[in-house]
Amino acid sequence: MSAAGESASAESATPPGRVLRPGQRCRIRIWDRATGAVRTVHESAERLYEAPNWTADGRLLVNADGLLWFLPADGTAPPAALDVPGLPPVNNDHVLAPDGAAILASANDFHIWEVPLTGPATAGTPRRLTPEDGGLHFLHGVSPDGATLAYVHLAPQGEDWWASATIRTLPREGGEPFAVTTHPGPADGCEYTPDGRWIVFNTEQFSETAGHAQLARVRPDGSGLEQLTADERVNWFPHVAPDGEVAVYLSFPPGTEGHPADREVELRLVATDAWDAPTTIVRLHGGQGTLNVPGWAPDGSAVAYVDYPLAED
């Protein structure tokens, strides 16, 4: 989910969304699962990109300045903005439809939109998918058959945006939302496993310490809730690899509240049958925007993420 209050109009002189600090850089990077090597495919000192998705034809989808951008995953060209007239400025919660025919994106009007792709760099008319139910909607997953969205539904109370955050699903072609979780404590990062049998997510419902999110999973019908991680760190955004054997997630230092930007964080890899034994694969400066949405390559051989080194790094 994007930071609360990150909203701006397309006509604003200031780009909607986050911007780099003076001297800060943004690096779109790829971690190789076989070798553990990391390579930078794009670096910018001017624009803050976030949250890579990986297309079946070898490109990365990112967001920046309220827009969606594509770049080759091999870094042979810089990001190019996708022109989508009628789409409100978007945030870092976006996924690709399983068939690659559409982008499903959360916008700063707090709704989820579908953007049909009519070519490698062209889009059709967007349509809004979420109802006017008084809540805020942040997309993180889509079922393997592409029929159902998994999202976080926020029902703020006054200035408390996280007063109620529940995981919900919604038929993509219309219908009633379903509350998969009902605990009002903060939850986020809901994503279907590749076999569609589970929704993995992060939640604070197992902790008495504010902000101490851990990973969990639940059946799409709301049954079988299980806590997956139980450590001193603050764990967010689990992403199960396409083969279902491992997952990568973002781990903040103990005491972190929420998923802020500009922290010393870790990317952790864990076998999906041994969630209590993760391995740190990358240490980086980042957090918000680094790994909000699934960044696995379609064959599971690599993960795309973003870091944000400061001037002194």
Side-chain angles (χ1 to χ4, degrees):
M1 203 190 85
S2 287
E6 284 185 359
S7 176
S9 71
E11 294 76 22
S12 173
T14 301
R18 297 192 300 132
V19 297
L20 294 170
R21 295 180 175 187
Q24 190 174 28
R25 293 168 289 137
C26 165
R27 299 187 298 188
I28 301 173
R29 314 194 85 187
I30 290 175
W31 172 81
D32 186 275
R33 183 173 170 184
T35 67
V38 172
R39 60 189 172 92
T40 299
V41 298
H42 183 74
E43 181 169 341
S44 176
E46 299 176 349
R47 181 169 288 118
L48 192 152
Y49 296 99
E50 298 180 294
N53 303 131
W54 203 313
T55 71
D57 62 359
R59 295 178 297 154
L60 300 178
L61 170 69
V62 294
N63 65 280
D65 297 348
L67 304 175
L68 297 165
W69 305 68
F70 280 116
L71 73 155
D74 61 7
T76 53
L82 183 68
D83 183 25
V84 190
L87 180 68
V90 300
N91 57 53
N92 56 29
D93 294 336
H94 44 76
V95 299
L96 291 155
D99 62 4
I103 299 168
L104 302 159
S106 303
N108 288 347
D109 64 351
F110 304 117
H111 281 289
I112 298 168
W113 292 71
E114 177 172 329
V115 178
L117 294 174
T118 56
T122 57
T125 302
R127 68 181 178 113
R128 200 187 79 193
L129 302 181
T130 39
E132 290 288 2
D133 57 8
L136 316 181
H137 313 80
F138 296 91
L139 178 73
H140 281 271
V142 58
S143 60
D145 63 3
T148 307
L149 309 179
Y151 65 98
V152 181
H153 179 273
L154 264 59
Q157 295 178 9
E159 298 298 318
D160 184 2
W161 282 54
W162 291 95
S164 174
T166 54
I167 305 303
R168 297 191 178 188
T169 57
L170 177 72
R172 185 171 160 193
E173 295 305 321
E176 292 297 318
F178 173 71
V180 178
T181 66
T182 55
H183 189 282
D188 202 352
C190 48
E191 186 176 306
Y192 283 88
T193 55
D195 60 10
R197 298 176 61 208
W198 295 95
I199 292 174
V200 291
F201 63 108
N202 55 266
T203 177
E204 296 181 22
Q205 73 179 91
F206 301 111
S207 174
E208 296 181 355
T209 303
H212 193 75
Q214 293 295 316
L215 306 184
R217 68 179 182 179
V218 65
R219 299 288 189 189
D221 66 1
S223 66
L225 177 66
E226 295 180 28
Q227 183 174 358
L228 298 174
T229 64
D231 56 58
E232 76 283 1
R233 296 184 64 85
V234 177
N235 300 319
W236 282 70
F237 301 138
H239 307 296
V240 178
D243 61 13
E245 296 181 355
V246 298
V248 65
Y249 63 91
L250 184 64
S251 184
F252 289 85
T256 305
E257 293 191 14
H259 57 300
D262 294 322
R263 295 292 192 276
E264 299 307 313
V265 298
E266 298 179 1
L267 300 189
R268 290 188 159 192
L269 186 75
V270 64
T272 52
D273 60 358
W275 287 87
D276 60 345
T279 299
T280 298
I281 56 173
V282 179
R283 290 183 171 86
L284 62 98
H285 188 83
Q288 175 68 291
T290 291
L291 195 74
N292 293 54
V293 291
W296 282 101
D299 63 0
S301 64
V303 173
Y305 65 95
V306 187
D307 69 5
Y308 307 95
L310 299 174
E312 60 270 23
D313 292 342

